[in-house]
Amino acid sequence: MKRMAIFFGIIILLYSVYYDLNKGTLRLLYKEATVATAQPQVNQASPPVSLESPSEDDTSSISYVEMEVKPGDTVLSLVEDLIDGSMPVSIERVITDFEELNDVPPAKIQIGKTYKIPNYQ
């Protein structure tokens, strides 16, 4: 009886490794999270921001999109989702723009809350 339990345990372990390598459980969780993500609402009141670095007086006119943070999201991943390509500005600029729009550092964002994400399109 003990040998049969060990045999079935090994079969279950091998199947789970096979399934994880071929299908990937993390990839399935990522797909479920992206499907459940709501579409961003673009703020039409703000003019689009230029790709040049802003002057000191121009920082209040940053174009943004309000998005709800889902599990696994970061400020950089949300910005990359908006632009669908390579980032046209530096990471430092994204961080400072996010802090100016929300008065919250990117490391302190919370799941389920809505934040203003800089839009660089």
Side-chain angles (χ1 to χ4, degrees):
M1 189 64 153
K2 189 176 185 181
R3 288 182 184 173
M4 190 168 26
I6 292 172
F7 175 74
F8 283 121
I10 291 172
I11 295 297
I12 291 172
L13 176 71
L14 291 175
Y15 177 74
S16 65
V17 168
Y18 170 79
Y19 182 82
D20 191 41
L21 291 175
N22 285 332
K23 306 271 182 177
T25 54
L26 292 178
R27 178 168 284 247
L28 292 175
L29 291 176
Y30 176 73
K31 285 183 182 178
E32 290 173 5
T34 56
V35 170
T37 304
Q39 294 294 328
Q41 300 171 352
V42 178
N43 179 12
Q44 299 296 335
S46 297
V49 70
S50 64
L51 297 180
E52 298 133 14
S53 59
S55 64
E56 292 298 321
D57 300 333
D58 195 27
T59 57
S60 63
S61 65
I62 300 169
S63 176
Y64 64 89
V65 175
E66 291 185 354
M67 295 181 75
E68 183 179 345
V69 176
K70 301 291 181 189
D73 284 344
T74 63
V75 173
L76 293 178
S77 68
L78 293 172
V79 170
E80 287 173 349
D81 288 345
L82 284 175
I83 59 176
D84 292 330
S86 63
M87 206 169 308
V89 295
S90 67
I91 294 174
E92 291 82 16
R93 169 127 183 245
V94 173
I95 292 170
T96 57
D97 289 347
F98 179 82
E99 288 175 346
E100 288 177 15
L101 288 170
N102 298 292
D103 295 327
V104 175
K108 300 285 184 175
I109 62 172
Q110 297 177 354
I111 296 171
K113 288 195 174 183
T114 302
Y115 294 98
K116 298 174 184 176
I117 308 299
N119 188 7
Y120 299 108
Q121 292 183 353

